[in-house]
Amino acid sequence: MTRRIRDVMSPAAVAVEPMTTVARAARLMREEDVGDVLVTYDCDLFGVLTDRDIVLRGVAAGRDPEATTVGAVCTPPPVVTLEPDDTTDRAAELMARHAVRRLPVVEHGGVPVGVVTLGDLAATDDPHSALADISRAAPGH
């Protein structure tokens, strides 16, 4: 069932500035129980930092997480985004085309207002699917 992104997104996206250290962003991700943070500068989306970015562009590259900034390892602009009035079908198409599992939701030319994940789409399309169950499960279970 096609729905609007505003109806399925997580509205409280966690954000950091590009000069935040990778270590601080990782701690924030742990505290907020999220796998990504939006990287914003002056209320505009600069990039996205995922747990995978930290591992591949940070730790595996031998960078010091206490000295490396988020801006140096995040997915840089242009970032694929959605608007709140876009559809879940559009989100699925963009995720498939760009091989991503999360998309920032922006309005007014780039102001982040949330994030939509593959799990959000799965729960919308089939709330009884295995992916929807996994998405709802508490971490570590």
Side-chain angles (χ1 to χ4, degrees):
M1 173 168 85
T2 300
R3 295 180 62 190
R4 295 281 173 218
I5 292 302
R6 76 174 66 255
D7 298 328
V8 300
M9 71 180 196
S10 299
V14 179
V16 297
E17 293 187 341
M19 296 309 294
T20 304
T21 66
V22 170
R24 173 68 189 120
R27 287 189 295 272
L28 184 60
M29 290 165 79
R30 181 187 62 208
E31 292 164 10
E32 297 294 327
D33 190 30
V34 294
D36 65 294
V37 293
L38 301 181
V39 182
T40 60
Y41 186 74
D42 286 338
C43 296
D44 287 329
L45 185 63
F46 174 83
V48 176
L49 179 75
T50 66
D51 44 12
R52 181 175 168 86
D53 293 330
I54 292 171
V55 171
L56 297 181
R57 295 182 184 147
V59 176
R63 293 179 164 186
D64 177 359
E66 294 290 348
T68 303
T69 64
V70 165
V73 297
C74 70
T75 302
V79 176
V80 180
T81 62
L82 292 165
E83 293 184 0
D85 286 328
D86 281 330
T87 65
T88 54
D89 288 346
R90 172 120 173 94
E93 185 265 320
L94 286 173
M95 286 179 183
R97 183 183 331 149
H98 296 281
V100 295
R101 295 179 179 106
R102 305 170 179 103
L103 290 171
V105 181
V106 300
E107 59 185 9
H108 306 301
V111 177
V113 294
V115 173
V116 67
T117 68
L118 184 59
D120 295 331
L121 299 182
T124 299
D125 287 345
D126 182 359
H128 304 293
S129 71
L131 185 53
D133 290 344
I134 292 167
S135 296
R136 285 189 299 268
H141 293 96

